[in-house]
Amino acid sequence: MKISLIFFLISSFLSSQDHDKQLRNFFYDLKNKTILVEIVEENSFFNANISLKDAKIYFETLASDSTISLFEKNLITSFDLAQKKIIIESSEKNILDFFAYENLENASLIKVEKKNENSIYSYNFYDNILLIIFNKSKNMVNRINLVKSEKIIFECIILEVNNYQNPLEFFNIDDTWTTIDWRLN
């Protein structure tokens, strides 16, 4: 009896590790891609593009607020295209870090639940809970929730993954733009 229980626990652990690897491979394959997502915020929805290139994460929300934000290491540079402002600020933690494969390495797997064709992964991530729903038949992540104190602080639905597109490529940023630097000295 004890041997079968130990075998079951070991096989369950190895199975969750194998599924975890499948999920991590999905995020690894997002390098040099642009992801169309739907952000859920207080019962409203808006679309955004997340473009990943090298160590840069571009978060483009032009349709909702005319902004493109560039997350790079501990720096956020936001380009407000409506007001022609560039805002630079420091950031220790980036809520979008899980899209970069290396940053998911900082997440520790808590558990994996299976519901129909979906696997729901729970991770400890920056002292929060990161819930990732992976659809096996589509071989992709469907939904990502970041939960803090039992409240969802970030929720997105992945609609599609495309080839990389630089969101700043077609914008003319010239001397008429104002730069505001809010970095900590």
Side-chain angles (χ1 to χ4, degrees), residues 48-66:
N49 284 320
I50 300 170
S51 299
L52 306 166
K53 184 73 170 177
D54 303 320
K56 297 177 183 177
I57 301 173
Y58 293 94
F59 186 65
E60 179 257 302
T61 54
L62 289 175
S64 62
D65 65 2
S66 301

Side-chain angles (χ1 to χ4, degrees), residues 32-34 49 51-52 58 162-169:
N32 301 318
K33 300 285 185 186
T34 295
N49 284 320
S51 299
L52 306 166
Y58 293 94
N162 299 308
N163 291 328
Y164 173 76
Q165 301 164 5
N166 182 340
L168 293 173
E169 183 177 12

Side-chain angles (χ1 to χ4, degrees), residues 28-46:
Y28 179 78
D29 290 340
L30 291 179
K31 286 183 177 184
N32 301 318
K33 300 285 185 186
T34 295
I35 305 116
L36 174 61
V37 298
E38 184 174 69
I39 306 293
V40 181
E41 196 172 80
E42 296 179 13
N43 297 325
S44 63
F45 301 87
F46 65 91

